[in-house]
Amino acid sequence: MNGVPRHERRWASDTVPDKAAVSTGTSPETEYNSFSDEYVEVTLDLQDDHTIVLRGVEPITVINVNDGVATSGNETPASDARSPTVRRSSSNRLRQFSQELKAEAFAKARQFSQELKAELRRFSWSHGVSETALVARDLRKQRAQLDRSRSGAKKAIRGLKFISSKSNGVDGWNEVQRNFDSFAKDGFLYRTDFAQCIGMRDSKEFALELFDALSRRQRLKVEKISRDELYEFWSQITDQSFDSRLQIFFDMVDKNEDGRIAEEEVKEIIMLSASANKLSRLKEQAEEYAALIMEELDPERLGYIELWQLETLLLQKDTYLNYSQALSYTSQALSQNLQGLRKRSPIRRMSRRLLYYLQENWKRLWILTLWISIMMGLFTWKFIQYKRKDAYHIMGYCLPTAKGAAETLKFNMALILLPVCRNTITWLRSTKLAYIVPFDDNINFHKTIAAAIVIGVILHAGDHLACDFPRLVNAPEYVYKKYLNGVFGDHKPTYGDLVIGVEGMTGILMVVFMAIAFTLATKWFRRNLIKLPKPFNRLTGFNAFWYSHHLFVIVYLLLIIHGVNLYFVHKWYLKTTWMYLAVPILLYVGERTLRFFRSGLYTVHLIKVAIYPGNVLTLQMSKPPQFRYKSGQYMFVQCPAVSPFEWHPFSITSAPDNDYLSVHIRQLGDWTQELKRVFSEACEPPVAGKSGLLRADETTKKSLPKLKIDGPYGAPAQDYRKYDVLLLVGLGIGATPFISILKDLLNNIIKTEELADSVSDSSRGSDLSVGSTDSPSLNKISPKRKKTLKTTNAYFYWVTREQGSFDWFKGVMNEVDELDQRGVIEMHNYLTSVYEEGDARSALITMVQALNHAKNGFDVVSGTRVRTHFARPNWKKVFSKICSKHCNGRIGVFYCGAPVLAKELSKLCFEFNEKGSTKFEFHKEHF
């Protein structure tokens, strides 16, 4: 026996032919099983010197095949596949000892079971547990076994997975083997490395409990396992049988192996699941939710639940999850999808994609084509003009190239101001020009022009400094006098004369200032993606970007001076720089002047302040009478206590009908960080027994920091009214533009329906009294009503990775859910920190979530009436279901968040537009 590790191994003994009734478990039910076979569990310790030490003898439960009902217990007969085979010694001493031990063991077992039966009977009656309760549970168990349909079991196979389907199979085991080779020491994998080995490195505590449960199933109590034992573990946790996975999950909870789960064990597994899914609040309320599960599964109040009860809850969880359900498929949607499955030739597919691309981007394309054509025309015109000058004979192609680039620079330096004239852009959105000009892309166009300016500067300055200046300096004196006599003075200039002159110095200073501004405006500096040591860290962040952009005030002054002092042009009307810049600069200065006076006119005072989890500050302020806006728009906010110059844009989260303005600001940069600090100091500390949020309002704090606002300004989401159906997708703080839309849409639909009801009532009254005399007035109302009701449904998908994020708009979501009696708005919350539904790590959370909503009407994760789904949405399925319900509709897809998801949503719009008559139009918000 030297090869046997020094840990405890156990096996079941043979049956005793005696048919006397023996109680074989700890359940009160066992006293009714009077014809069970008797088994005992003998615990032996096999020493290295072949001696055997008796550790204990215990009675165990059996499965009565004749009755077909399994009693609860912690062991099976010796033929159970879970019991490991142990090489038994062939020595006569061991065989003799076993025979002698058997009689003594059964005597002790019979005595123990009789004493236990009496104690359990006294315990049951003393705690009010009667035979009626046991009978009631037996009846429930029989009904549950009859109700378990084959389809329900098949559906359950998709659930309660320990390992994702991608990691199952041969490839999954190969990956586990590679991990084993990395972590194994002396051929054994230690318990502490089990999580990383099987791919649960983010759920280490859960993996350790899984390891212990699998060990108990194998009758092992070890800290390390071999490769073969790891394969056995892996085979069990990847088993395709739902019953097998359910048993493992049950064993994880049932740590004392008595075949039943008490409330304290349920609490432990809830805390474990909450920890694995980073749900701190759920962990704090584990005791409450454990009681909820026991109340549901143990109505007889026996104080424990068994395997079949856990199975019943898992198989019937969909009956509890009846809130915020997904849309159902229709045959029409199926036919649309089948159309998309028909094979097309590569040429046809490419032509379809090209056609769709043109349909989606024709506004951008014609604007870019016009812009590039103008630049090419200006460059060509100036190039030809300077090629005809005498200077061309000395400077060659360097001169016309530099002057052609200069002409495009003047045009672009004027044009780049127009996309940031926000008041003008907002006004133009409401005109017919919006049908042909993509005003939503104003910031992107601003960046594109900036890239063209960089290219123009390189061509213009590079040609001057590295090409035509050296050619001019090195030209022979007689050639200079022949072609350029008097242009640069009486004598040929040196390279230094050309550089330190007015033209040269203004040009070099402009290049330096523009290089600083362009560099600090890149996303690496603006979003703090580059970490620099002190004091250079001040060169990153929004502040550096904002202040460096004001260097362009100096750049434009230098550009005007540079354009006036030209070597080859002396007539004022031929110096065209000021002509390019006059109108855009006047328009931009007018915008800044308007913003300055309007911000002083819009006096606001703070009504309420709150700081939510996830570093989000919400500010609720009074609404000036002149401030009129649409849902989806944004405004600029300035806090003099933080900075007297900086203005930052934030989406308005209040509805136009509200008598206040509100914004939600997440801490992402240095300005928002300082803003949060200023208001944190002004907030009152949380009162005992109340919410832990920092809050302040007019009653609790009289001296709150002052705010200035400016706006409103246009955004893509403000055009939501022109669509039949809305799909609103927000990532994290990107949900802010859509909160106002949801409230405004609901208010408008309710008002319209009330108006329709009143018109209907008045028309009935008119028919009774005056006949048809009021029909013209009704005809006037009808078109207006139809126009107002164009948007009939909205689907809001909010994806976030922090549970505390749901506190930001908890009140709004509850309000919409309460007022939306007709189901106009469907809301879905997705928490990506929780494992997908069906994963064993989130299974108990799903149960708690379903039970709590069925009983109390709110979601345990979000704290709202809106159900929280786990992991990321299946966007293809979302589009499919919306398409199935709104055939032939025009659906506006609005997105605000990270660019990665924008590409996926845009691609899905293209795919579904190809499949059928339902049309999706995609719009994204720029941060």
Side-chain angles (χ1 to χ4, degrees):
M1 302 297 289
N2 291 331
V4 180
R6 292 180 62 89
H7 52 250
E8 185 177 279
R9 294 183 181 268
R10 298 179 292 180
W11 64 84
S13 73
D14 299 326
T15 58
V16 179
D18 186 12
K19 296 295 181 181
V22 178
S23 177
T24 59
T26 55
S27 169
E29 292 179 83
T30 56
E31 59 185 286
Y32 301 107
N33 299 328
S34 56
F35 298 102
S36 300
D37 290 338
E38 297 177 341
Y39 293 83
V40 294
E41 185 178 86
V42 182
T43 305
L44 303 176
D45 194 353
L46 279 70
Q47 306 295 329
D48 290 340
D49 58 355
H50 298 285
T51 60
I52 302 174
V53 178
L54 177 64
R55 294 298 184 189
V57 179
E58 299 176 3
I60 61 172
T61 59
V62 299
I63 300 178
N64 192 325
V65 180
N66 296 327
D67 293 342
V69 179
T71 61
S72 60
N74 62 353
E75 188 54 78
T76 58
S79 60
D80 194 332
R82 291 186 298 171
S83 299
T85 60
V86 180
R87 185 165 50 90
R88 305 192 185 195
S89 172
S90 59
S91 65
N92 294 328
R93 187 173 60 175
L94 178 59
R95 189 178 297 108
Q96 182 181 358
F97 178 81
S98 299
Q99 295 295 331
E100 294 173 353
L101 184 64
K102 191 179 298 183
E104 182 182 357
F106 287 141
K108 289 184 178 180
R110 186 174 289 105
Q111 180 182 359
F112 174 82
S113 63
Q114 290 173 354
E115 293 174 355
L116 181 62
K117 186 188 301 182
E119 287 294 326
L120 285 174
R121 188 180 294 110
R122 286 195 297 271
F123 176 86
S124 298
W125 285 111
S126 64
H127 287 75
V129 179
S130 63
E131 293 185 9
T132 306
L134 296 173
V135 172
R137 174 165 289 196
D138 277 339
L139 291 174
R140 282 204 307 120
K141 181 178 180 179
Q142 293 173 12
R143 283 197 301 269
Q145 290 174 337
L146 291 173
D147 291 342
R148 178 181 174 176
S149 63
R150 195 174 288 177
S151 60
K154 185 176 181 181
K155 185 177 180 181
I157 290 176
R158 299 194 299 267
L160 211 62
K161 297 176 294 185
F162 293 94
I163 303 293
S164 67
S165 56
K166 297 179 181 179
S167 302
N168 287 344
V170 177
D171 293 337
W173 170 241
N174 290 337
E175 179 67 23
V176 172
Q177 285 193 99
R178 287 193 290 269
N179 293 337
F180 179 88
D181 295 335
S182 301
F183 296 111
K185 298 174 183 177
D186 299 327
F188 288 93
L189 177 73
Y190 282 81
R191 178 176 178 269
T192 52
D193 297 323
F194 182 71
Q196 287 188 317
C197 186
I198 66 171
M200 282 191 179
R201 56 179 55 88
D202 295 329
S203 312
K204 189 171 182 179
E205 293 180 9
F206 190 91
L208 293 178
E209 291 295 339
L210 178 60
F211 180 93
D212 293 340
L214 294 171
S215 299
R216 289 194 297 268
R217 287 164 62 88
Q218 298 286 14
R219 299 303 171 199
L220 301 174
K221 291 184 180 179
V222 292
E223 289 294 321
K224 59 183 181 180
I225 54 176
S226 65
R227 185 190 296 268
D228 292 339
E229 290 170 326
L230 176 63
Y231 180 74
E232 178 66 23
F233 283 11
W234 177 259
S235 300
Q236 292 183 50
I237 62 180
T238 57
D239 197 325
Q240 292 300 308
S241 168
F242 171 72
D243 293 329
S244 176
R245 294 197 298 264
L246 176 64
Q247 183 66 58
I248 295 174
F249 187 77
F250 187 87
D251 291 343
M252 287 180 63
V253 188
D254 181 24
K255 294 183 180 181
N256 59 2
E257 301 182 89
D258 61 352
R260 56 187 63 178
I261 302 175
E263 184 172 337
E264 189 62 29
E265 291 173 313
V266 175
K267 176 185 172 182
E268 288 181 15
I269 198 67
I270 290 177
M271 293 181 68
L272 190 66
S273 299
S275 178
N277 291 280
K278 301 179 179 64
L279 298 175
S280 56
R281 296 183 185 176
L282 193 69
K283 195 173 181 180
E284 295 169 0
Q285 297 175 292
E287 187 172 350
E288 175 186 344
Y289 296 137
L292 181 66
I293 288 181
M294 295 301 294
E295 181 182 344
E296 175 69 19
L297 300 183
D298 182 28
E300 298 86 11
R301 300 183 182 276
L302 295 178
Y304 63 91
I305 57 177
E306 297 172 307
L307 179 65
W308 66 269
Q309 292 162 292
L310 189 65
E311 178 189 49
T312 302
L313 182 58
L314 281 169
L315 294 180
Q316 296 181 357
K317 72 179 180 63
D318 287 340
T319 62
Y320 296 101
L321 297 174
N322 57 357
Y323 60 111
S324 189
Q325 285 288 342
L327 303 171
S328 59
Y329 286 95
T330 65
S331 58
Q332 289 180 324
L334 183 60
S335 64
Q336 286 191 13
N337 292 335
L338 290 176
Q339 290 177 11
L341 294 175
R342 294 171 185 167
K343 291 185 178 180
R344 297 190 179 99
S345 66
I347 297 176
R348 182 170 176 80
R349 286 199 301 268
M350 290 179 63
S351 62
R352 294 277 296 179
R353 290 179 181 177
L354 178 61
L355 180 61
Y356 175 74
Y357 180 81
L358 294 175
Q359 289 175 346
E360 289 295 303
N361 298 283
W362 68 270
K363 293 182 183 179
R364 302 181 183 94
L365 290 174
W366 88 263
I367 288 290
L368 287 174
T369 302
L370 177 63
W371 172 60
I372 293 172
S373 300
I374 292 174
M375 286 194 298
M376 292 175 62
L378 290 172
F379 183 91
T380 304
W381 168 60
K382 215 59 172 177
F383 186 92
I384 295 172
Q385 182 182 346
Y386 272 83
K387 189 178 179 182
R388 294 172 179 173
K389 289 185 178 291
D390 292 337
Y392 171 75
H393 296 282
I394 295 177
M395 299 181 179
Y397 283 104
C398 301
L399 178 63
T401 302
K403 291 301 181 180
E407 204 66 18
T408 64
L409 275 173
K410 289 185 281 187
F411 170 66
N412 284 328
M413 288 296 289
L415 188 64
I416 199 170
L417 293 174
L418 298 181
V420 292
C421 292
R422 292 184 175 86
N423 289 290
T424 304
I425 296 294
T426 302
W427 171 69
L428 289 174
R429 281 176 180 273
S430 60
T431 65
K432 293 184 178 179
L433 199 60
Y435 290 103
I436 60 173
V437 179
F439 292 115
D440 294 343
D441 290 328
N442 61 319
I443 299 301
N444 277 342
F445 192 44
H446 178 79
K447 294 176 181 178
T448 305
I449 298 170
I453 289 174
V454 171
I455 297 172
V457 167
I458 293 172
L459 281 176
H460 178 70
D463 275 337
H464 276 322
L465 296 173
C467 189
D468 56 15
F469 282 4
R471 289 174 68 102
L472 174 62
V473 170
N474 295 324
E477 190 70 27
Y478 73 92
V479 176
Y480 173 78
K481 287 183 177 180
K482 180 180 178 180
Y483 294 107
L484 293 176
N485 190 26
V487 174
F488 294 95
D490 297 334
H491 302 285
K492 186 178 69 171
T494 64
Y495 193 87
D497 294 335
L498 295 172
V499 172
I500 64 174
V502 176
E503 299 88 343
M505 287 303 297
T506 53
I508 291 173
L509 287 173
M510 279 192 293
V511 171
V512 171
F513 290 147
M514 291 169 73
I516 294 172
F518 284 156
T519 302
L520 298 183
T522 58
K523 66 177 182 179
W524 296 283
F525 284 87
R526 182 166 48 90
R527 296 190 176 181
N528 283 316
L529 299 180
I530 294 179
K531 302 300 180 184
L532 298 176
K534 293 182 179 180
F536 300 105
N537 60 335
R538 293 182 176 271
L539 296 177
T540 60
F542 189 86
N543 274 351
F545 156 75
W546 194 85
Y547 285 113
S548 65
H549 247 55
H550 284 75
L551 290 173
F552 276 99
V553 175
I554 303 174
V555 169
Y556 277 99
L557 291 174
L558 292 172
L559 181 59
I560 294 172
I561 297 171
H562 186 80
V564 170
N565 295 274
L566 297 176
Y567 289 117
F568 300 105
V569 180
H570 302 288
K571 295 178 181 179
W572 69 271
Y573 56 86
L574 296 177
K575 299 177 180 181
T576 57
T577 304
W578 65 272
M579 299 179 186
Y580 281 103
L581 299 178
V583 173
I585 286 180
L586 287 175
L587 181 62
Y588 185 76
V589 170
E591 287 249 351
R592 296 301 294 260
T593 305
L594 174 64
R595 290 178 60 180
F596 175 78
F597 286 107
R598 188 170 58 184
S599 62
L601 182 66
Y602 288 163
T603 56
V604 297
H605 65 273
L606 285 169
I607 301 173
K608 187 171 68 175
V609 176
I611 300 176
Y612 290 104
N615 291 321
V616 169
L617 169 69
T618 177
L619 302 175
Q620 192 178 109
M621 63 201 80
S622 60
K623 182 168 74 172
Q626 308 90 343
F627 195 92
R628 296 181 179 87
Y629 65 97
K630 298 178 181 178
S631 291
Q633 292 185 328
Y634 67 95
M635 67 181 182
F636 279 83
V637 176
Q638 184 203 68
C639 181
V642 177
S643 173
F645 305 109
E646 292 184 55
W647 292 83
H648 293 260
F650 299 102
S651 298
I652 305 172
T653 52
S654 53
D657 291 340
N658 294 135
D659 56 356
Y660 62 87
L661 292 172
S662 66
V663 292
H664 288 69
I665 302 171
R666 186 168 192 179
Q667 179 184 320
L668 293 174
D670 40 16
W671 187 87
T672 52
Q673 183 177 0
E674 184 65 15
L675 185 73
K676 181 195 170 188
R677 186 193 65 79
V678 168
F679 279 98
S680 297
E681 294 176 353
C683 288
E684 297 289 339
V687 182
K690 299 276 184 160
S691 170
L693 301 177
L694 293 173
R695 297 178 182 272
D697 54 39
E698 296 173 302
T699 59
T700 61
K701 202 79 174 177
K702 295 182 179 179
S703 58
L704 289 169
K706 304 297 181 184
L707 283 183
K708 292 183 179 181
I709 64 170
D710 177 50
Y713 294 104
Q718 75 178 56
D719 299 324
Y720 74 92
R721 289 174 177 267
K722 66 181 184 181
Y723 295 100
D724 303 320
V725 180
L726 301 179
L727 173 57
L728 310 174
V729 181
L731 256 63
I733 199 65
T736 50
F738 309 130
I739 295 300
S740 177
I741 291 177
L742 293 178
K743 295 170 69 177
D744 185 49
L745 179 64
L746 183 63
N747 292 340
N748 279 282
I749 289 178
I750 290 174
K751 286 181 181 179
T752 304
E753 291 175 347
E754 290 176 352
L755 177 63
D757 292 340
S758 64
V759 170
S760 177
D761 293 340
S762 63
S763 64
R764 284 197 296 269
S766 301
D767 290 340
L768 292 173
S769 56
V770 208
S772 60
T773 56
D774 289 341
S775 57
S777 65
L778 293 177
N779 290 334
K780 291 180 182 178
I781 293 175
S782 180
K784 185 176 181 181
R785 180 180 65 188
K786 190 176 290 185
K787 185 177 180 181
T788 307
L789 282 175
K790 184 174 182 62
T791 303
T792 57
N793 289 90
Y795 301 90
F796 175 52
Y797 283 79
W798 185 16
V799 184
T800 182
R801 60 173 176 238
E802 298 174 4
Q803 183 187 9
S805 303
F806 296 120
D807 287 345
W808 305 346
F809 308 116
K810 182 186 293 186
V812 175
M813 287 189 285
N814 285 333
E815 182 182 0
V816 170
D817 184 83
E818 183 178 353
L819 295 176
D820 184 20
Q821 300 298 326
R822 301 177 186 269
V824 173
I825 298 171
E826 186 174 297
M827 296 181 291
H828 296 266
N829 294 333
Y830 279 83
L831 187 61
T832 59
S833 67
V834 180
Y835 292 95
E836 62 181 347
E837 294 175 20
D839 194 294
R841 286 165 285 189
S842 62
L844 209 63
I845 296 175
T846 305
M847 295 184 216
V848 170
Q849 183 191 41
L851 290 174
N852 191 76
H853 190 274
K855 181 180 179 181
N856 302 319
F858 69 88
D859 186 80
V860 298
V861 178
S862 66
T864 69
R865 303 185 185 202
V866 181
R867 178 189 173 188
T868 301
H869 304 270
F870 301 148
R872 291 175 175 82
N874 185 331
W875 293 112
K876 192 167 187 177
K877 204 174 275 188
V878 170
F879 273 74
S880 234
K881 292 172 181 177
I882 293 177
C883 184
S884 70
K885 187 172 182 180
H886 304 284
C887 297
N888 306 316
R890 188 180 175 206
I891 300 172
V893 182
F894 295 90
Y895 170 72
C896 184
V900 178
L901 183 55
K903 294 179 182 178
E904 182 181 351
L905 295 177
S906 178
K907 183 180 178 182
L908 284 170
C909 288
F910 162 64
E911 291 177 0
F912 278 86
N913 286 343
E914 274 197 321
K915 290 179 181 178
S917 55
T918 305
K919 297 302 177 186
F920 293 86
E921 295 185 22
F922 180 68
H923 305 270
K924 63 179 178 180
E925 188 84 19
H926 299 284
F927 282 136

